[in-house]
Amino acid sequence: MKKKLVSCLISFTLLSSLSTPLLAKAQENTEDIKGSLVIAGGGIGTSNHEIYEKFLSLAGGKEKAKVGIIPAASTTLQSSKKFKEDLVKYGANSDSIKILPVSNHDFSDTQKDESTWKNQVNDKKLSRTIKGLTAVWFVGGDQTKIVDSLRQNNGSDSEALKAIWDIYRKGAVIGGTSAGAAIMSDVMITGGDSLGALKDSLENKENKHVSKNQRSQKEYEPLSIQKGLGFFQHGIIDQHMDERARLGRLAVAAYTSERDKEKNFAYGVDEDTAMVVNNKDQKIEVVGRSGVAVLDMSKAELVSKQKARSGLENIKVSYLSPGDKINYHLKSFEFPKERVETKGFEYYSFNALPATGVFTPYGRLKAYLSYSLVDNESMKSAKSYVYDSKGSGYEIAFQKDNDTNGYWRYTDGQKDDYSIVNVKMDITPKTFKFQPDRKTSLTYKKPTFSSSESPAYDSIKGNLLIAGGALGSSNSSVYNKFINLAGGKQAKIGIVPAASTKFDSSNQFKSDLIKYGVKAENIEILPISNHDFKGTSENESTWKTNMNSDKLAQKVKGLTGIWFVGGDQTLITGSLRNENGSDSKVLQAIWHTYKNGAVLGGTSAGAAIMSNTMLAGGDSYGALSYGFTNTYDDMNQQEGGPVYLEKGLGFFQYGLVDQHFDNKARLGRLIATAYEKGNKNQLSYGIDEDTAMVVNNKEKQIEVVGRGGITLVDLAKVQANDKFPSDYKNILISCITPGDKVNLTTKEIVINPAKTSTRKNEYYSEKVGPNTGLFSPHGVLRKFLAYDLVDNAQSKEIKSYAFNQNKGFELTFRKSAESNGYWAYTDGQKDDYSIVKVALDIKPIDVDIR
């Protein structure tokens, strides 16, 4: 498509609005650089050994590394000291690590006045110190403070910066996180969010830097750019990419700022992840726990769509994962051999909803594109939206193209790991109007499912460990907890493989238990199944009769721990219940061991079976729109549609349990099920992936263990409209994290004492727009409630939307009289929030998009 004249004029205006110095090269001659870069997206966990070990290796090895830490971006020395501690933990010599006196401001946690350091950047002693280093690290904070500290008032390089360039050329590694990543490219993004960047630039407004005071009065922040230090000369760098949904701002920055965008990619680095740049090989390797978004803007066009509003078309989006490599000179990708192409071999086939807010399954960018588009044979395109509270915004359309592909593998146990290449992205201006739905056309069906109550056992001596799915092999806290509850390393553990169609997950769990110290001869994969397994010579469907085997039942009674792997929860219940619904002999034996002290555990499907009413299918939008169904086809039904319920095994006696909670955004389906089939005097529990709810039956208490959180739904005060389905008021939502506890009978929440209350001590004070989809920051429910509501002094309520075509729901989260937030750092410099008793109202709406 050729650009219209008006588009060309707008494009010229945008490009010329950036001053020439911003586009000037920081260093003209970069071909002779022997050093490397480690560019981290922020939030590096202390346990992220891949990044730390890579940095030290490039610095000459643990024993030879000589590291200078530049603290200038931060307001305190805390992060610099913490990074030094982490390097020492990974084997570096403490005496060889120095916090360099580079700053243009005072630090709040010291007695000295470090603002005087600004005068030392031309000091020969500091230059000599830097020239003796093998590595330099820039901590996070405000990137403009780094640049101002190392450049002179006339914009020229200080002697300290020249010294850094000198050791970089000779072979040193330069690294940085967050702000320390932003300074790496010539064009340094200093502010803005995706909506602000789109509205400010594509609506042909003057691009201005917005002060913090101005930002606090607006729902979005326009893009702002300055000149960076230019260590990376091959495209723009952005950070906190996925967590803060910065793809839109990176696209605008790359389009409006890069004169050579046809030659270069633009890069967005996720938190706890780094792109490692090898200048000699002209390659980038992705290292860490998440990914790097890569934008190809070479064919991007600015297209006029509405009066004074334009869109961007023909952007190519790729998302690389740990182990992948990018040849930035050839603009090509390399993937590990164990990755499997998805094109032509898509695993999923379901109609994915548009990404609209915190009810969207796979609500972050890489996961959404993976499951909902690239590895989904039913989908050719998928959409997301971003808009302000007045309804002014954009539609983001993702489309499979001829060169679109996905690459899949398991990582860290049973976690899906995807890489994505060449998804076409178009951004089009739209207006959105939401009105109350007065007469719904949706057919909501009440559940006809009826589950007889399991007998209550007050004398259960055993415990439960209920994991939300995608349990990483490296999640030592969950594994060690299960092993300890089973009696320690002498534990005798049986693994129930029934939920899966293969033995991979059972073998992996057995291998993990052995790694954590359990004797191999004390672990057995139990012959429990009602179906055949792929890849074996035996027909395991014959195992169905084993459910009433006296010999197997006797063996189960001798176990101290039983584990249910993930897959399809209906296969577990079908393998342990007789056709008349009664308990088989093996299920009776499991109950016997549980009542007498054994621990029962399970992940994903193995968690779903734990409560008496088992959620086996459906998603949040389907639950609120269509209610419940009596039919169940296969596991694809778990990805969407109305809720399908069956009778669970009832080991958990205190409410409903749901799993994959954050990743599959199942809050709506848990609310609908709890309202229709739950006990409103009990809480309902949504468990995140890589996280476990540990149930102590004796103490009648749960504890959170692992890497995510648990969402608590309390319907004790709920008000519902009997004449209109899914119209709720006063649902109470709490989100708790590792170390927090809940009393199962009183519902009292006990927060980890290491956390600080946010109430009347909020860190943020900003206006925030609605949470809308893939371009909306903090897309996971807990983060959205934490940053935008409980730790934000300006927010009394915040909104999110869930809709498909012209029907949907408005979610209003409100601070109640009992609301509070609790904050602490975890695993390095990561924010860890717990949220207590936020009120939620859900209202059906009509949606008009133009």
Side-chain angles (χ1 to χ4, degrees), residues 153-460:
N153 293 335
N154 64 1
S156 62
D157 292 357
S158 66
E159 293 302 315
L161 183 53
K162 290 177 183 177
I164 294 171
W165 267 100
D166 182 60
I167 62 170
Y168 177 40
R169 289 184 184 282
K170 292 177 179 177
V173 58
I174 309 297
T177 184
S178 187
I183 54 100
M184 293 289 181
S185 50
D186 264 340
V187 176
M188 180 177 74
I189 300 174
T190 59
D193 52 39
S194 286
L195 179 58
L198 292 168
K199 289 181 72 64
D200 187 66
S201 297
L202 301 190
E203 293 182 12
N204 199 23
K205 294 178 181 179
E206 186 180 358
N207 193 345
K208 295 180 179 179
H209 178 71
V210 179
S211 69
K212 286 186 177 180
N213 183 55
Q214 289 173 306
R215 167 68 181 95
S216 69
Q217 303 305 315
K218 300 186 74 171
E219 295 177 8
Y220 50 85
E221 181 182 3
L223 173 70
S224 56
I225 289 172
Q226 292 186 23
K227 184 179 178 182
L229 298 185
F231 299 120
F232 181 70
Q233 289 281 301
H234 308 284
I236 297 178
I237 303 289
D238 207 349
Q239 14 76 46
H240 299 282
M241 175 58 49
D242 196 38
E243 168 63 28
R244 300 186 190 177
R246 286 175 167 171
L247 189 71
R249 94 166 185 180
L250 179 60
V252 171
Y255 186 84
T256 59
S257 305
E258 279 284 51
R259 291 180 302 181
D260 52 358
K261 59 179 176 284
E262 292 186 7
K263 188 173 108 176
N264 292 327
F265 285 144
Y267 304 86
V269 190
D270 289 349
E271 293 184 356
D272 220 4
T273 307
M275 49 184 276
V276 179
V277 181
N278 184 317
N279 286 295
K280 182 179 179 182
D281 294 342
Q282 296 184 326
K283 289 184 179 180
I284 297 166
E285 181 182 4
V286 182
V287 175
R289 289 191 176 136
S290 189
V292 174
V294 182
L295 291 183
D296 184 348
M297 305 295 295
S298 59
K299 296 180 181 178
E301 296 180 311
L302 189 71
V303 182
S304 179
K305 293 291 184 179
Q306 294 182 2
K307 186 178 180 181
R309 301 183 73 196
S310 297
L312 280 173
E313 293 186 348
N314 296 323
I315 301 166
K316 284 294 183 74
V317 179
S318 300
Y319 228 113
L320 284 292
S321 294
D324 299 342
K325 293 184 179 180
I326 306 161
N327 186 314
Y328 55 77
H329 178 65
L330 298 177
K331 294 180 76 174
S332 63
F333 305 116
E334 299 174 15
F335 303 101
K337 291 181 180 179
E338 63 268 24
R339 286 198 182 277
V340 179
E341 288 189 43
T342 63
K343 191 172 185 177
F345 305 95
E346 290 85 357
Y347 183 81
Y348 295 97
S349 181
F350 66 94
N351 292 320
L353 294 171
T356 57
V358 295
F359 271 12
T360 301
Y362 315 113
R364 299 312 319 149
L365 182 68
K366 185 170 75 163
Y368 183 74
L369 293 181
S370 299
Y371 293 102
S372 299
L373 182 63
V374 175
D375 201 17
N376 190 336
E377 66 177 359
S378 296
M379 300 293 289
K380 303 301 180 187
S381 62
K383 293 179 179 179
S384 185
Y385 306 93
V386 62
Y387 43 83
D388 59 24
S389 59
K390 295 180 180 179
S392 174
Y394 297 84
E395 174 187 271
I396 302 99
F398 299 96
Q399 185 175 330
K400 287 178 180 174
D401 221 334
N402 291 332
D403 55 352
T404 301
N405 207 343
Y407 298 85
W408 170 90
R409 68 176 174 184
Y410 273 137
T411 184
D412 192 16
Q414 293 294 301
K415 291 184 177 183
D416 290 323
D417 180 36
Y418 283 97
S419 301
I420 301 158
V421 295
N422 297 324
V423 171
K424 182 175 179 286
M425 179 174 73
D426 297 332
I427 302 172
T428 306
K430 297 282 185 180
T431 56
F432 302 79
K433 190 173 183 180
F434 304 110
Q435 293 182 316
D437 187 354
R438 303 297 183 190
K439 187 177 180 181
T440 184
S441 60
L442 301 175
T443 305
Y444 182 94
K445 293 183 179 179
K446 293 269 191 178
T448 58
F449 165 81
S450 179
S451 176
S452 57
E453 288 296 321
S454 292
Y457 296 101
D458 292 331
S459 60
I460 295 176

Side-chain angles (χ1 to χ4, degrees), residues 466-470 566-569 602-611 613-618 635 638-639 656-667 669-670 685-691 709-711:
I466 309 174
D568 184 339
Q569 46 265 51
T603 183
S604 186
I609 53 100
M610 291 291 180
S611 48
T613 296
M614 180 175 78
L615 288 88
M635 282 189 66
Q638 295 186 18
E639 304 300 326
L656 297 172
V657 170
D658 207 349
Q659 17 76 46
H660 294 283
F661 205 71
D662 56 350
N663 203 33
K664 298 192 179 183
R666 286 175 165 169
L667 178 64
R669 91 167 188 177
L670 183 58
Y685 304 83
I687 308 170
D688 291 349
E689 294 184 353
D690 218 5
T691 307
I710 295 175
T711 300

Side-chain angles (χ1 to χ4, degrees), residues 572-638:
I572 301 176
T573 55
S575 301
L576 286 171
R577 280 220 174 89
N578 297 309
E579 290 185 5
N580 64 2
S582 62
D583 291 358
S584 67
K585 290 182 179 180
V586 170
L587 182 52
Q588 292 174 28
I590 293 172
W591 269 104
H592 177 271
T593 60
Y594 176 43
K595 287 190 287 182
N596 284 282
V599 58
L600 306 184
T603 183
S604 186
I609 53 100
M610 291 291 180
S611 48
N612 192 51
T613 296
M614 180 175 78
L615 288 88
D619 69 340
S620 288
Y621 183 81
L624 295 172
S625 300
Y626 309 110
F628 297 79
T629 180
N630 294 324
T631 59
Y632 182 75
D633 297 325
D634 55 37
M635 282 189 66
N636 278 329
Q637 192 168 328
Q638 295 186 18

